[in-house]
Amino acid sequence: MTDAFAGTGASAVRDAPAYSVVVPTIGRPCLADCLRALAAAADHPPEEVVVVDDRPAPTGALPLEAAGVLRDRIRILRSGGRGPAAARNTGWHTVGTPWTVFLDDDVQVLPDWSRLLAEDLGAADADTGGVQGRLTVPLPEDRRPTDWERGTAGLEQAAWATADMAYRTDTLADVGGFDERFRRAFREDADLALRVQEAGWTLRRGRRCTRHPVRPADRWVSVRAQRGNADDALMNRLHGRDWWTRAEAPRGRLPRHVLVTAAALAASACALTGRHRAAGVAGALWTLGTAEFALARIGPGPRTRHEITTMLSTSVLIPPLAVGHWLHGRLRHRGAMPVGGRP
């Protein structure tokens, strides 16, 4: 990952290329904070803000009044609940500016964001297809972060996250935009970044910074997140098994989850066939693997009763669900081709 060289002073803002902002949303209350922060970053405002309403059946108005001075520059589009990749495509396809900046509806740009964005874009050479913003995740100062909070904080190190990512609009057209087979907010940005780089464009990290608060979540959020393993299977199919390295993505625990799940299945099979000694060995391996996983999640956390019981219960469920979603993804996407590839 390389850094974009920044310009300085008012001239960098004055000479910076025009850009549009695309914000996909499912109508969460945090959209108001996102628009309010964007309006407060007034040094180099966007030509327009395209808010893409991805609710399947929109009910109620979006909080557009929070956009303040940018209210007259907002356009609303609807993408029919097809996921963030499709919503972003719906937005950037209508953009007429040289650059398209994607923001998630749960982020808040800082007051100097548009000035630093102007420097980021103005410093981009002709081969630069995208410039990433830096994300900061505020964590509690009076206690250790929870498992969910630590997971969100991992976005600070994420490469090419579209929580704040600027792409040349021509670059998006060149590679066909986002792959809409990614229905969740997971891996669709890594897939796009890999295709952009494979097309010969360079991606750089800029200087602007965006705040990404930890959104509220219930105790089962980590269980639902295992659906992302199906997207990892699609990434394997599209980009090969080494995509983790090229996308600068953490490998995760799937190999360990496979072993733990295999031990559980072996223990059940051996018990049903009367092989009690083998069942005991396999059961012990499952117990050790599950305990290691739970302790790895409990140790760095606040260790409250709620957090401990949540980690224990979800650590039992996550390995088999992760493996199940991964196998489902491999089956579903066994014939998948990259965007623009021949079927």
Side-chain angles (χ1 to χ4, degrees):
M1 183 183 294
T2 55
D3 289 331
F5 296 100
T8 58
S11 62
V13 173
R14 183 178 62 251
D15 299 334
Y19 70 98
S20 300
V21 171
V22 173
V23 184
T25 186
I26 52 174
R28 296 183 294 189
C30 55
L31 174 63
D33 294 326
C34 176
L35 295 176
R36 190 175 296 113
L38 187 61
D43 293 320
H44 180 46
E47 292 292 308
E48 61 177 349
V49 179
V50 183
V51 176
V52 185
D53 187 346
D54 196 45
R55 292 177 292 179
T59 57
L62 297 174
L64 303 183
E65 66 281 354
V69 296
L70 295 180
R71 180 64 183 87
D72 292 340
R73 302 191 184 200
I74 289 183
R75 285 194 293 115
I76 301 294
L77 301 176
R78 291 180 178 173
S79 50
R82 295 181 291 126
R88 294 189 189 105
N89 281 344
T90 298
W92 78 259
H93 276 302
T94 69
V95 164
T97 51
W99 288 86
T100 300
V101 181
F102 296 105
L103 294 176
D104 285 350
D105 69 352
D106 57 352
V107 304
Q108 301 159 14
V109 303
L110 299 187
D112 62 356
W113 179 84
S114 66
R115 175 177 60 81
L116 294 177
L117 173 66
E119 296 177 3
D120 288 344
L121 302 186
D125 58 31
D127 293 330
T128 299
V131 185
Q132 178 182 352
R134 300 174 186 267
L135 299 177
T136 178
V137 179
L139 295 176
E141 298 181 355
D142 59 343
R143 60 167 174 79
R144 295 180 175 184
T146 64
D147 179 69
W148 172 242
E149 290 166 342
R150 295 194 306 275
T152 304
L155 290 171
E156 293 183 343
Q157 306 303 319
W160 327 129
T162 39
D164 180 356
M165 185 72 192
Y167 278 105
R168 289 189 191 274
T169 307
D170 285 347
T171 299
L172 295 169
D174 182 31
V175 301
F178 291 88
D179 188 333
E180 298 183 11
R181 288 170 292 188
F182 293 93
R183 298 295 296 268
R184 289 167 287 274
F186 191 68
R187 302 305 189 206
E188 83 290 355
D189 45 11
D191 167 74
L192 175 61
L194 288 178
R195 287 188 286 111
V196 165
Q197 292 172 311
E198 289 164 2
W201 297 93
T202 299
L203 298 178
R204 299 183 181 275
R205 185 188 287 272
R207 294 182 59 224
R208 67 191 188 278
C209 191
T210 294
R211 185 173 181 266
H212 193 305
V214 179
R215 69 175 185 269
D218 61 51
R219 71 192 315 167
W220 305 112
V221 63
S222 61
V223 173
R224 294 192 298 273
Q226 300 314 306
R227 298 169 183 167
N229 284 282
D231 298 312
D232 285 347
L234 177 56
M235 289 291 288
N236 283 351
R237 176 64 186 172
L238 297 177
H239 299 287
R241 295 184 180 275
D242 66 339
W243 71 266
W244 303 90
T245 301
R246 290 182 285 118
E248 302 178 39
R251 183 64 180 85
R253 295 182 64 104
L254 182 62
R256 296 188 189 186
H257 291 335
V258 171
L259 293 176
V260 170
T261 302
L265 293 174
S268 299
C270 290
L272 290 173
T273 57
R275 301 166 61 190
H276 301 297
R277 184 183 297 273
V281 172
L285 291 174
W286 172 82
T287 301
L288 288 172
T290 302
E292 183 276 329
F293 181 36
L295 290 174
R297 301 170 72 205
I298 292 170
R303 304 179 191 176
T304 62
R305 177 178 297 180
H306 180 273
E307 180 74 358
I308 291 173
T309 57
T310 297
M311 295 301 98
L312 290 174
S313 56
T314 56
S315 293
V316 172
L317 296 173
I318 285 174
L321 287 174
V323 174
H325 285 299
W326 177 68
L327 291 173
H328 178 261
R330 290 198 63 181
L331 179 63
R332 179 178 181 182
H333 301 300
R334 62 188 181 278
M337 295 291 290
V339 170
R342 289 179 294 180

